[in-house]
Amino acid sequence: MKFVKILSASIFALLIISCNTNGQVPKNNAVKLVAPKGKAIAAFASGCFWCSEHIFEAVIGVDSAVSGYAGGTAVNPTYELVNTETTGHAETVLVYYNPKIITYEELVEVFFSSHDPTTPNQQGPDRGSSYRSVLFYQTDAEKTIAMNAIKKISSSNRFSKPIVTELATLKAFYRAEEYHQDFIAHNPNQSYVRAVSIPRFEKFKKTYKGKLKKGY
């Protein structure tokens, strides 16, 4: 299924490149890790960012989610480079939210309710370190919340296997190519979306106890 996803993304990339006057792949710009006034940001890696972006944007209190790359070493990584599994990046979503409506702690719950945190370097049919589970944090308070969440879940019977979610400081976030943004909304009938993304979202809706926006 990862092959199908890469193939589909490559086709979109070729279409974009064909419209680019210089024929070069546009670089991914590093996003400033500063939230707008009255807002906050948080980053999560939980497998395919097409799926993760769609899930977080459905939650009340979330303004938007941006697909991108975090946790690696290369500067301005491309989708194709990240998929070589050599840069250390994970497909990640940067979530912009209103802390007066939803807390970082609740977003962590969305994170754990929307993927399997027990599969090392894998989420569903997608395999490789770019699909690993990562809770990124920016402050000591966020780190404590993330650690407590992992500890609480690990001591429960919520998952039958040990949690392998990685904790990491959010040092940089690179926005993915534009054809990745809001991919599910723009491509609802794409094969990967229908076979993987939508079923994952429907499963999330059955397990998540928080509020979702109308239309989801």
Side-chain angles (χ1 to χ4, degrees):
M1 191 60 69
K2 179 177 180 180
F3 172 76
V4 174
K5 184 185 171 203
I6 295 174
L7 179 61
S8 299
S10 298
I11 292 173
F12 277 98
L14 288 172
L15 291 174
I16 291 176
I17 293 171
S18 65
C19 298
N20 192 321
T21 55
N22 59 18
Q24 297 179 351
V25 177
K27 287 187 176 181
N28 300 302
N29 295 323
V31 176
K32 291 184 179 180
L33 300 177
V34 179
K37 186 176 180 179
K39 305 294 182 178
I41 56 174
F44 305 91
S46 54
C48 170
F49 49 26
W50 296 348
C51 308
S52 304
E53 179 192 65
H54 186 68
I55 288 168
F56 277 99
E57 287 188 337
V59 178
I60 289 179
V62 172
D63 295 330
S64 64
V66 178
S67 289
Y69 316 107
T73 56
V75 178
N76 291 323
T78 62
Y79 182 69
E80 287 72 20
L81 181 60
V82 170
N83 270 283
T84 65
E85 311 296 348
T86 60
T87 70
H89 289 93
E91 289 196 12
T92 304
V93 290
L94 185 64
V95 178
Y96 290 80
Y97 66 101
N98 186 336
K100 293 182 180 180
I101 299 176
I102 189 169
T103 63
Y104 175 77
E105 185 174 14
E106 182 62 20
L107 289 175
V108 170
E109 176 56 32
V110 173
F111 169 80
F112 280 115
S113 296
S114 61
H115 81 299
D116 184 350
T118 71
T119 51
N121 296 329
Q122 178 183 356
Q123 197 55 222
D126 298 314
R127 301 190 178 192
S129 61
S130 61
Y131 296 105
R132 69 189 187 276
S133 175
V134 188
L135 266 175
F136 291 99
Y137 60 87
Q138 291 184 285
T139 66
D140 289 339
E142 289 181 348
K143 182 179 181 181
T144 298
I145 290 172
M147 290 176 64
N148 287 340
I150 292 175
K151 183 178 180 180
K152 181 179 179 180
I153 293 174
S154 296
S155 62
S156 70
N157 60 357
R158 186 166 173 178
F159 296 100
S160 60
K161 298 179 181 179
I163 303 297
V164 297
T165 297
E166 175 185 329
L167 281 178
T169 305
L170 182 63
K171 298 179 180 179
F173 177 86
Y174 296 94
R175 182 184 177 93
E177 295 84 345
E178 288 308 306
Y179 61 89
H180 288 299
Q181 309 303 327
D182 294 313
F183 190 89
I184 292 177
H186 296 309
N187 306 276
N189 295 316
Q190 195 263 359
S191 59
Y192 180 93
V193 169
R194 290 174 63 88
V196 180
S197 303
I198 298 304
R200 177 177 163 184
F201 181 63
E202 292 300 322
K203 182 178 180 180
F204 164 71
K205 288 199 297 183
K206 292 179 180 179
T207 58
Y208 181 59
K209 300 184 185 302
K211 296 181 179 179
L212 300 181
K213 299 171 185 174
K214 291 183 178 180
Y216 286 91

